[in-house]
Amino acid sequence: MPLVVAMCRHGVILTAMFLKPTKSGGHTYLQLVESYRNEAGQPRQRTVASLGRLDEVGGGVDSLLAGLLRHKGLPSSAASPPQLEFDAALSFGDVCALDQIWCELGFDALAGVFRKAGFTTAVEHALRVMVFNRLCDADSKLGVLRWLQTVYMPQIDTAALTHQQLLRSMDALVDHHADVDAVVAGLLRPLVDQDMSMVFYDLTTIRAAGLSEQQGDVRHYGMAKEGVIARQFMLGVVQTAEGLPIYHEVFDGNQAEGPTLLPTCAKVLQRFPHIKRLIVVADRGLLSLDNLEELGKIKLPGQRALEFILAVPGRRYGEFTEVLQAIQAKAGAAQHELIDETRWQDLRLVVAHHPQRAAEQALLRNERIAALHDQAQQWAGKLDGQDAGVKTKGRKLSDSGAKARLYHAVCEAHLAKIVKVDLKSELFAYTVDEAAKAQAELMDGKLLLVTNVADLTPQDVVSRYKALADIERGFRVLKSEIDIAPVYHRLPQRIRAHAMLCFLALILHRVMRQRLKLAKSELSPDQALAQLRRIQRHSVSINRAAPVTGMSTINPQQASVLAALNVKKPAVDAQMSLL
C-alpha cells in the first residue's frame, strides 16, 4: 500500500505509516502500520490501528472512507464502483461513406426541388435513407424504419421519419420526376464524355407480387428472363462504357423490347444535349427493320447521325444463310476467334465466329438428338412388343401417347426445328431434318452485329458489343444486392418510385465499384460496405450521468477501404474524458 504519513526531522525520515491488508480466518483485514527505526537504526513495524474487514459492506473501512470523502467534499457514491449503462451499438461507417459519396455527387441538391414545390418535410432526407437502405440492408419501407434503429446518421433526423412520410416522399418523387430527372442528369453530365459517348441499352424483367388491378397498371403477365410466365414490369437501363447508369425507364410487363429503343434514345439525347457523338449498343431483342430505319433519322446537335451497334437475334439468322455460307469456309479452318465483315441493308454486318463455342454447341445438340433417338427407340420397341402380344410392366403405351411424350421432350430440348414428330400419323413416327440440322451447325458459334459506325474496325465493333455484358452485371446487382424484386407495391406511381430509388442506389454502387477498381482493390462494393459496417458508434452512461459517445477503432483494413473509396474517416462529436 502507498505511504500515508511521513514524519521528518532535519530532513531525515523517522517514521512512516501505510495501509497493510492481512488475512485471518478466511477474511481480509486492513491495518494502519507504522514503519520506524529503533535506536540502533534497524527498521521495524508496529500496528497502530485495525481499520476493519475489507470484505464487509458498511463496516469500519466503509465508514472511514465515507468520512474522508465527506471532508473532501465528494459524494459517498464516489467510493462505489461506477454504474455503467451501455446503449446498443449503431453501424456508422457504411452509411457515413455513402453519405459522403451522395453529397459529393451533388444528390443533396434534390432537396431544392421539393422546397420549390412547397414541401415542408425533408423529402430528400427520406429518399436518401431509402436509397442507403437498398445498399446496406434492403428491406420494405416498414423495414427501413427498423433498419434506422440500427444505424447512426447524425445529419438526418431519423427519429422523425414515419412510414407514411416515406410513402409520401415516394409519391413526391414521381409527381416531380421531370425536375428530379433534370437535376440527376445535370449532376451526371460532367461524367459523360461529350466527344464520343458509347452507351449501352438493355431491358430486364422485374417480378411483381399481388393480384389486384390498378388504373394505368404496369404489372402484366409476360415471359420473364428466367423463362417463365409471371406478373412483372420491364425496366430499361442506359449506362456509359465506364459502367455509369445515366437513364432508366419503366415499361409495361408485356411490352415488346424493340419499340422501346427509339424513345429511349430520344430521351437520352434530350437530357444530355452536350454529346457530340453517340453510339448506342443494344442486344438482340431490340433489332427490327423499323428500328433501323428510324434510328437512321435521329440527328444529334450539329446534324450528326446517331450511330448504333445492334446484335442480330437468333430467330433471324436464317435470313443470313448465304452470308454465313461464304464465311463458313474460313470459319471451318479457324483455331481462334474469326471476325469478318460484309454488307447488309446498306449497313455493315460484322460476323464473329468462335470455333470452340461452335464445337461445344454442336456436341451438345448431337448428344440431345442421340438421347431423343434412344428414347424414341425404346417407345417404338414397346409398341412393337405390345402388338406382338408381349406383356411388359407398367401402363400400356399408345401411339398417340408416344407421339405426345416425344414431342414434349423435343420441345424441352429446343430441337423442334430439327426433330419433327409426325403428329398427324396414326402410328408413332418422327424424322430428323438434316437440312435444318446443317443450318443450325452453320449458326454455331456465330455472333452477327449490324452497325452504321464507319470508323471502328470489325474487332472494335465486337469488343464494344461484348462490353454490353456489364449492363447484365448491373441487372444482377439490382436483383441481388439491391433487391429490386419482387416488388410488393401495387400503385403504378409507387412502382416507378421504387425503380427510381433502386436506380439511384445503382449509381452509388457503380461509383463505388469504379473507385475500388481504380484503387486496385479486390473488394466488391457490397464487401466494402460490410467492412465499414463494423465501424460503430457506441454510447455509455456513467452513474446515470449524460451519455458519453465514441466510435470503434478503425482497423487497417477499414482504413484502406475508406482510402480506396476516397472518403474521409468517420468521426463523432468530441466527448469529455471518462476520467
Side-chain angles (χ1 to χ4, degrees):
M1 299 293 263
L3 296 175
V4 295
V5 180
M7 299 179 62
C8 301
R9 184 176 181 183
H10 304 299
V12 179
I13 299 178
L14 298 179
T15 64
M17 292 188 182
F18 61 93
L19 299 175
K20 179 181 178 181
T22 61
K23 292 186 177 182
S24 177
H27 300 290
T28 302
Y29 296 85
L30 190 63
Q31 297 176 337
L32 180 61
V33 179
E34 179 186 12
S35 177
Y36 66 98
R37 290 183 182 274
N38 59 17
E39 294 179 355
Q42 298 173 332
R44 292 288 185 268
Q45 294 181 356
R46 59 174 170 252
T47 301
V48 177
S50 180
L51 304 179
R53 283 170 44 187
L54 278 175
D55 54 358
E56 183 181 11
V57 178
V61 175
D62 288 351
S63 298
L64 176 62
L65 186 57
L68 292 173
L69 290 172
R70 184 170 59 254
H71 288 291
K72 188 70 175 176
L74 297 175
S76 59
S77 61
S80 303
Q83 300 297 317
L84 302 180
E85 295 181 3
F86 293 91
D87 291 338
L90 302 177
S91 299
F92 181 37
D94 52 350
V95 292
C96 180
L98 289 173
D99 190 75
Q100 290 189 49
I101 296 175
W102 176 274
C103 296
E104 184 181 337
L105 293 175
F107 286 162
D108 53 339
L110 293 174
V113 173
F114 301 106
R115 280 198 301 268
K116 291 180 180 178
F119 286 90
T120 57
T121 57
V123 176
E124 184 269 333
H125 283 181
L127 299 178
R128 191 189 309 191
V129 163
M130 288 186 283
V131 170
F132 289 3
N133 173 254
R134 305 315 302 177
L135 291 165
C136 296
D137 187 18
D139 207 336
S140 65
K141 302 308 174 282
L142 274 174
V144 171
L145 299 180
R146 294 190 293 268
W147 171 74
L148 283 176
Q149 298 175 7
T150 68
V151 299
Y152 177 60
M153 300 179 68
Q155 68 282 5
I156 295 177
D157 185 8
T158 56
L161 290 176
T162 65
H163 183 232
Q164 285 300 316
Q165 186 175 348
L166 296 180
L167 296 179
R168 295 296 174 261
S169 298
M170 294 178 68
D171 295 339
L173 181 63
V174 175
D175 292 341
H176 301 276
H177 71 92
D179 295 330
V180 171
D181 289 345
V183 171
V184 173
L187 297 173
L188 297 179
R189 198 166 293 152
L191 305 178
V192 180
D193 187 2
Q194 65 175 353
D195 293 326
M196 187 188 78
S197 293
M198 183 81 63
V199 298
F200 301 91
Y201 174 60
D202 202 358
L203 293 99
T204 190
T205 56
I206 306 298
R207 193 76 62 88
L211 300 175
S212 64
E213 297 288 343
Q214 305 295 326
Q215 185 176 2
D217 209 336
V218 297
R219 301 171 299 171
H220 297 280
Y221 285 95
M223 182 62 69
K225 294 293 184 179
E226 296 80 9
V228 297
I229 297 177
R231 198 175 195 195
Q232 62 189 16
F233 64 89
M234 304 284 290
L235 179 66
V237 174
V238 178
Q239 73 173 36
T240 65
E242 294 76 25
L244 180 68
I246 60 174
Y247 176 76
H248 84 288
E249 187 68 61
V250 172
F251 300 99
D252 290 347
N254 56 1
Q255 170 71 57
E257 295 184 9
T260 67
L261 179 59
L262 291 174
T264 299
C265 291
K267 290 182 179 179
V268 170
L269 290 174
Q270 179 183 355
R271 296 187 181 186
F272 301 95
H274 68 297
I275 297 178
K276 299 177 181 177
R277 183 182 181 188
L278 183 66
I279 302 176
V280 178
V281 183
D283 209 356
R284 293 173 171 85
L286 299 165
L287 177 65
S288 70
L289 294 177
D290 293 337
N291 274 347
L292 293 178
E293 183 178 353
E294 294 299 326
L295 284 173
K297 297 178 181 178
I298 297 179
K299 301 295 182 183
L300 278 68
Q303 296 302 306
R304 182 166 189 149
L306 174 71
E307 296 170 286
F308 54 84
I309 299 173
L310 301 178
V312 178
R315 65 179 182 274
R316 299 192 58 177
Y317 275 20
E319 303 175 24
F320 301 88
T321 302
E322 295 182 3
V323 174
L324 294 178
Q325 286 176 343
I327 298 176
Q328 187 63 20
K330 300 179 184 178
Q335 298 296 322
H336 304 285
E337 186 177 34
L338 172 69
I339 300 176
D340 206 345
E341 180 182 352
T342 185
R343 302 291 298 180
W344 178 78
Q345 297 279 350
D346 293 330
L347 296 169
R348 296 175 65 191
L349 177 65
V350 177
V351 181
H353 174 77
H354 197 290
Q356 288 80 16
R357 189 171 297 120
E360 293 171 359
Q361 291 174 346
L363 178 61
L364 179 61
R365 181 187 303 107
N366 290 334
E367 289 177 348
R368 288 179 176 177
I369 293 175
L372 290 172
H373 178 73
D374 292 343
Q375 184 64 70
Q377 290 301 312
Q378 292 181 14
W379 288 331
K382 185 173 183 178
L383 289 172
D384 291 340
Q386 288 177 174
D387 293 340
V390 178
K391 294 184 178 180
T392 58
K393 294 182 180 180
R395 296 178 59 183
K396 187 176 181 180
L397 182 65
S398 65
D399 287 274
S400 58
K403 288 187 292 183
R405 294 171 69 178
L406 179 60
Y407 181 76
H408 179 74
V410 168
C411 293
E412 286 288 323
H414 303 287
L415 293 172
K417 292 184 178 180
I418 298 176
V419 180
K420 299 182 178 180
V421 183
D422 190 352
L423 298 176
K424 296 181 179 180
S425 173
E426 294 184 1
L427 300 178
F428 174 53
Y430 71 96
T431 58
V432 176
D433 191 334
E434 294 296 337
K437 182 181 176 184
Q439 184 172 356
E441 292 173 349
L442 183 65
M443 312 300 174
D444 287 339
K446 301 292 193 304
L447 172 65
L448 277 64
L449 302 173
V450 176
T451 181
N452 64 344
V453 183
D455 57 348
L456 291 180
T457 65
Q459 289 76 13
D460 288 338
V461 171
V462 173
S463 64
R464 295 293 194 279
Y465 173 77
K466 289 182 177 180
L468 184 64
D470 188 61
I471 202 171
E472 293 291 344
R473 286 190 286 271
F475 286 144
R476 286 196 293 271
V477 169
L478 279 172
K479 294 182 178 181
S480 58
E481 298 177 24
I482 298 178
D483 281 349
I484 190 174
V487 178
Y488 293 96
H489 295 288
R490 59 184 180 84
L491 300 179
Q493 66 268 25
R494 297 272 172 84
I495 294 176
R496 296 183 186 278
H498 176 75
M500 181 65 176
L501 294 173
C502 293
F503 176 73
L504 293 174
L506 181 61
I507 293 176
L508 294 181
H509 187 280
R510 285 308 178 94
V511 170
M512 292 177 62
R513 190 188 72 160
Q514 289 177 356
R515 294 185 179 185
L516 290 169
K517 186 176 180 181
L518 187 62
K520 295 181 172 55
S521 173
E522 296 181 355
L523 296 178
S524 68
D526 192 48
Q527 292 170 333
L529 290 175
Q531 285 269 10
L532 298 180
R533 195 169 297 127
R534 292 196 286 269
I535 301 176
Q536 297 177 330
R537 184 251 195 186
H538 301 271
S539 177
V540 57
S541 298
I542 304 175
N543 294 329
R544 301 185 182 277
V548 179
T549 60
M551 188 182 67
S552 57
T553 303
I554 298 177
N555 61 39
Q557 292 81 7
Q558 294 163 344
S560 66
V561 172
L562 293 170
L565 293 176
N566 195 25
V567 297
K568 297 178 181 179
K569 291 184 178 180
V572 295
D573 295 337
Q575 296 288 325
M576 63 181 179
S577 172
L578 292 176
L579 299 178

